[in-house]
Amino acid sequence: MNKKKSAHMAALYGMLIALAFVLSFVESLIPISLGIPGVKLGLANLVTVVGLYTVGTTGTVVISLLRIVLTGFTFGNLFAMLYSLAGWGLSIVIMILCKKKKWFGTSGISILGGIGHNIGQITVAAFVVKQAGVFFYLPMLLIAGTAAGLVIGILGSMIISRIKIVIKKLY
């Protein structure tokens, strides 16, 4: 990789990390009260979906992992970061697998990512509080994850189609 291309990629990764960080901050300002703790819009996952289709798997994993750590230290606490990492781990594996196997389009992958994120988080919550009763929240979380995943998938698809030409020039 030449120096110019390397500099472009570093700048792109930096912008994607910053965008995910800003979207996480914006999301923290939007109150969502569905009577269930942990329901969020998943705005920062827009960067994850776009990243999977533009910078590839490795870049997306690095970007989203850095976003979780940065936002965890800035806006959350150790438990919030633990829940986010658990949700992210399951979510990213599902999304990468489905994209690699070409099982679903952008919206389907995003929906499965949202669902995987909720399952990962609720599973860790059950271990932390040592109470299987938290799975009572799962149906509502799955509905919220599906809705948020659909919206993020549609937006991601629109963004991907618009920036893919620019990204291809970097590779």
Side-chain angles (χ1 to χ4, degrees), residues 8-9 12 15 54 159-171:
H8 281 132
M9 292 306 295
L12 176 62
M15 287 189 299
T54 55
I159 293 168
I160 291 162
S161 68
R162 287 174 171 79
I163 68 169
K164 212 164 191 171
I165 297 166
V166 175
I167 301 296
K168 281 185 180 180
K169 290 179 182 179
L170 297 176
Y171 288 102

Side-chain angles (χ1 to χ4, degrees), residues 87-114:
W88 168 80
L90 185 56
S91 174
I92 198 78
V93 167
I94 290 169
M95 291 170 66
I96 289 169
L97 177 66
C98 289
K99 182 181 178 291
K100 184 178 180 179
K101 297 288 186 181
K102 299 181 182 179
W103 286 339
F104 298 97
T106 309
S107 292
I109 288 171
S110 180
I111 289 168
L112 289 172

Side-chain angles (χ1 to χ4, degrees), residues 5-105:
K5 188 174 178 181
S6 179
H8 281 132
M9 292 306 295
L12 176 62
Y13 280 40
M15 287 189 299
L16 289 172
I17 292 167
L19 178 60
F21 187 73
V22 167
L23 289 173
S24 292
F25 174 69
V26 168
E27 185 174 54
S28 74
L29 300 175
I30 302 171
I32 297 177
S33 179
L34 297 178
I36 296 174
V39 175
K40 294 200 266 182
L41 295 173
L43 295 176
N45 295 326
L46 182 58
V47 175
T48 304
V49 171
V50 171
L52 280 174
Y53 287 89
T54 55
V55 298
T57 302
T58 304
T60 301
V61 168
V62 170
I63 290 165
S64 57
L65 185 59
L66 283 171
R67 186 252 316 163
I68 291 169
V69 171
L70 289 172
T71 57
F73 283 129
T74 307
F75 309 122
N77 56 45
L78 187 59
F79 283 111
M81 195 182 325
L82 176 67
Y83 292 135
S84 290
L85 286 170
W88 168 80
L90 185 56
S91 174
I92 198 78
V93 167
I94 290 169
M95 291 170 66
I96 289 169
L97 177 66
C98 289
K99 182 181 178 291
K100 184 178 180 179
K101 297 288 186 181
K102 299 181 182 179
W103 286 339
F104 298 97

